[in-house]
Amino acid sequence: MRIVIQRVSHASVTINSKVKSAIGNGFLILLGIEETDGEEDIDWLVKKVVNLRVFDDENGVMNKSIMDSDGEILVISQFTLFASYKKGNRPSWIRAARHEISVPLYESFCDKLSLLLGKAVGTGEFGADMKVELLNDGPVTICMDSKNKE
């Protein structure tokens, strides 16, 4: 499981010209799921996300977590995070999990993240054509992969 976390001042996702979810200060998370992912990948990532200290404290030092900052989270499914680009110029999505695997894991990731955060997490719509807007704050962008824990 692979995520790209962006610290944002605000972010939103629009589907069919209607805003589905919008947040203020917090994280926009792009989530990619592959066939071998499971609940243990989710558990590791959600703990990392809620404890990641990238928000400024009173001295302007990145020392606070999203929990300390009362931030919000928007999670967008992003199968293209598992693009294979080694051969040719047209990416292959062979490593991205099929819908029957991805949808339950995406929902579980969002549910567990919401539980740890103590508030609802904004979401997109799995498989939809989404327009994502954000204002990256910092910029702070961090990539995590549950297969690279060390």
Side-chain angles (χ1 to χ4, degrees):
M1 195 167 281
R2 187 172 288 167
I3 61 175
V4 175
I5 303 167
Q6 296 181 81
R7 187 180 73 180
V8 297
S9 297
H10 60 83
S12 65
V13 59
T14 301
I15 303 167
N16 296 325
S17 301
K18 293 182 182 172
V19 175
K20 174 152 187 332
S21 297
I23 63 167
N25 288 321
F27 288 147
L28 169 67
I29 298 176
L30 304 176
L31 171 66
I33 300 167
E34 64 180 326
E35 296 284 329
T36 59
D37 289 331
E39 292 296 325
E40 64 280 354
D41 298 286
I42 293 170
D43 293 341
W44 185 80
L45 282 170
V46 297
K47 286 177 188 165
K48 283 298 214 183
V49 168
V50 298
N51 292 302
L52 188 64
R53 296 180 352 185
V54 295
F55 292 91
D56 290 347
D57 63 14
E58 54 282 342
N59 297 316
V61 176
M62 285 196 283
N63 202 27
K64 287 187 172 186
S65 71
I66 194 156
M67 307 269 289
D68 301 328
S69 302
D70 195 33
E72 299 176 281
I73 298 177
L74 174 59
V75 181
I76 304 296
S77 62
Q78 186 78 36
F79 75 93
T80 60
L81 291 179
F82 282 104
S84 175
Y85 47 84
K86 304 255 183 198
K87 184 177 175 185
N89 291 316
R90 184 172 184 265
S92 167
W93 318 115
I94 197 157
R95 286 188 56 201
R98 298 179 314 267
H99 277 81
E100 58 269 18
I101 293 172
S102 297
V103 172
L105 289 175
Y106 171 75
E107 291 172 352
S108 179
F109 180 87
C110 293
D111 290 345
K112 288 182 177 186
L113 195 53
S114 179
L115 186 65
L116 282 178
L117 188 62
K119 63 175 91 170
V121 169
T123 61
E125 183 179 312
F126 199 91
D129 180 23
M130 297 177 277
K131 308 300 180 205
V132 179
E133 290 189 49
L134 67 126
L135 180 58
N136 193 317
D137 180 18
V140 174
T141 303
I142 296 172
C143 301
M144 289 186 190
D145 191 316
S146 62
K147 304 299 190 261
N148 294 325
K149 293 178 184 161
E150 293 156 28

